[in-house]
Every structure is written in C-alpha cells, then in structure tokens.
Amino acid sequence: MTEVTERRSYQVSTIASSPEREIERLSAQVDLFWPDEFRHYVDNGLRDGISMVELGSGPGFTTEKILDLLPEIRITAVEIDPLLVEVAGDRLSRPYGDRLDIVQGSIMDTGLPSGTYDFALTRLVLEHLPDPVAAVREVTRILKRGGRAVFVDNDFEMHLMTSPHIPALSQLYGAYCRSRADEGGNPTIGRELPGILRSGGLSAVTFSVVSAHSDIVGSKSFLGSEGVGIATKLVRDGYLSSKALGEIARSWRDLMKNDKHAILRQMYLSAGEK
Ligand SMILES: C[S@@+](CC[C@H](N)C(=O)[O-])C[C@H]1O[C@@H](n2cnc3c(N)ncnc32)[C@H](O)[C@@H]1O
C-alpha cells in the first residue's frame, strides 16, 4: 500500500504514545457519543439501502456501527493512512463482504466518480486539514444531487467540562491546540463549520451539538475516550509540562471520588445538501 504524504495534523503512529493505544481511544470515543450521535445522522438522511461514503474512516468503528444497524446499506470508506486501512480491512472486510469497500486515498482528491453517493460522513477529519473548504468541495462533488453530507469536528475551546471544575484541563487543551496548529490543523474549527460547508458548495446548512454527559452515558465511558496517550505525547514533545499532567491526573482521581461529579463533552456537527 502506498504512503500518501499530504500535510495533516493527525497521524495515528505519532499523535499518541502508541498507535495501539490511539486506536483503542478512537473506539472508546465512538462508543461515548453513539447514543446521541446516530440520531443526528438519521435526521440528515442516513437510512437503510442507500449508498454512503465515509471520509477519513480510520479503523472503521463508526463504519461498523452503521453497517450493523442498517443491514442493506453499502459503504465506501476512504482513509489516507495505510496502517488504518489495514486495521479496518482486517476487522471488517470478511464480516461485511461487498457491502463495504475500503479505499486508500485522500479526502482532498478521492478519485471516486462524481454524483455517486446519497450520504457522506466525515467525522473528526476537517480539523486536521490545512484546506478544509477544498475537502468539502471534493465531498460535494461525489455526492448525488439532493444528497446530504455531515461533518463532525471538535472545538477545543468548548471541549470537555467537569464539575467540580479542573482548571489544569485548560493547559492540556491549550497544549493540544498549539501542537495540532503547528502541524497545519485547526482544533477550534467546530464553530466555523457552517461557513466552511457553504464555501465548499453545500446548501440548506444546519448546525448542532453532539454531546455526552456522565449522568447519561456513565463516567467510565470518558476514561477510554480521553485516554492518556495524547497527553503523554504532548509532554514528550514539550507542549505540556509534566507538572500540569500530574495535576490533571490528581484532579481527575478526586473528581471520580466526588459523588456529585459531572463530565460533559461535545462535538459539533454541520450538514448540508448538494
Ligand atoms: C481523529 S481520526 C478519526 C477517525 C474516524 N473518522 C473516527 O471518527 O473515529 C482522523 C482520521 O482522518 C484520517 N485522515 C487525515 N487526513 C486525511 C485525508 N487527507 N484523507 C483521508 N483521511 C484522512 C486519519 O488518518 C484518521 O484516520
């Protein structure tokens, strides 16, 4: 498989302390939001029997959930990283057969035919790209007329919040933002999504928040989805002090012991029509 060397602020092999740990975190992150997330996709036209494309599908955890819930859907999954194409293929090719086509390629130039898909999903990818408008333009090109495209991203200034408040978390997210921005990403893209979708050629654009609350999904769900792999790497790369990381770990342990604690995290979803 060929290595595609396009600039992006997400590389599974370097973003965290190990790729295995990062793949586990991606899995937990899909589980964390799924109870709220799926209904947003259905509201935007995801249904059984259609033809869907997923861009930046990673190890395929979202892909897998959709294939399980909608037994007649066909999905083309486009992923740039050869390691993740392999991981997704090993897990999904056999169980889903010809309902799933995994393609190694870039969202910037998929090579897929124009006007092909009823529904497109791009989850946690635009925030890592230097030119997100061009990516949306390419997704719009491969959509059928009347099809809808959904984009989900973070905004790290409105990310994870806790009660009691953990002040040192702002240092972690500040460090993460500097690190991603240095690699060409935009970690506060969430608030900009509707404008980016319009500039990329979509109309009837909507905006919503996908959320996970500890009182609804349980506090344990947050442990795996936040993980320590990325934070450890930020310390190693000089973006975060080990003192701040130690303080966060201590505060998190205290939070868990507090019966009335609450944890809230959100992602931002914008959708539009071709
Ligand atoms: C944070 S991960 C999200 C993976 C998956 N969408 C999910 O929600 O679990 C970002 C993904 O986008 C992929 N990616 C980054 N730039 C890309 C590009 N130009 N084209 C296709 N995929 C890309 C990465 O390799 C990675 O799999």
Side-chain angles (χ1 to χ4, degrees), residues 183-218:
E183 294 176 7
N186 176 2
T188 56
I189 200 172
R191 69 195 73 175
E192 296 175 39
L193 286 174
I196 290 172
L197 267 60
R198 282 200 191 101
S199 301
L202 293 166
S203 58
V205 171
T206 60
F207 183 77
S208 23
V209 176
V210 182
S211 62
H213 192 289
S214 54
D215 285 347
I216 312 296
V217 299

Side-chain angles (χ1 to χ4, degrees), residues 105-235:
S106 172
I107 189 174
M108 307 308 298
D109 182 9
T110 60
L112 296 169
S114 302
T116 304
Y117 300 98
D118 302 291
F119 180 84
L121 174 63
T122 308
R123 186 183 189 271
L124 305 175
V125 178
L126 290 189
E127 65 191 70
H128 295 296
L129 304 177
D131 191 351
V133 171
V136 174
R137 216 175 281 130
E138 172 65 357
V139 175
T140 306
R141 183 188 69 75
I142 60 177
L143 263 189
K144 283 181 190 164
R145 191 142 302 278
R148 278 188 82 75
V150 172
F151 297 83
V152 181
D153 277 288
N154 286 296
D155 188 317
F156 274 85
E157 279 177 8
M158 301 179 283
H159 193 61
L160 187 138
M161 285 157 272
T162 63
S163 175
H165 180 52
I166 301 180
L169 274 179
S170 61
Q171 289 182 57
L172 171 63
Y173 297 132
Y176 180 81
C177 286
R178 288 192 296 281
S179 156
R180 296 287 76 74
D182 282 353
E183 294 176 7
N186 176 2
T188 56
I189 200 172
R191 69 195 73 175
E192 296 175 39
L193 286 174
I196 290 172
L197 267 60
R198 282 200 191 101
S199 301
L202 293 166
S203 58
V205 171
T206 60
F207 183 77
S208 23
V209 176
V210 182
S211 62
H213 192 289
S214 54
D215 285 347
I216 312 296
V217 299
S219 299
K220 281 205 182 112
S221 306
F222 287 88
L223 289 178
S225 65
E226 301 317 306
V228 290
I230 291 181
T232 308
K233 185 69 182 353
L234 289 170
V235 171

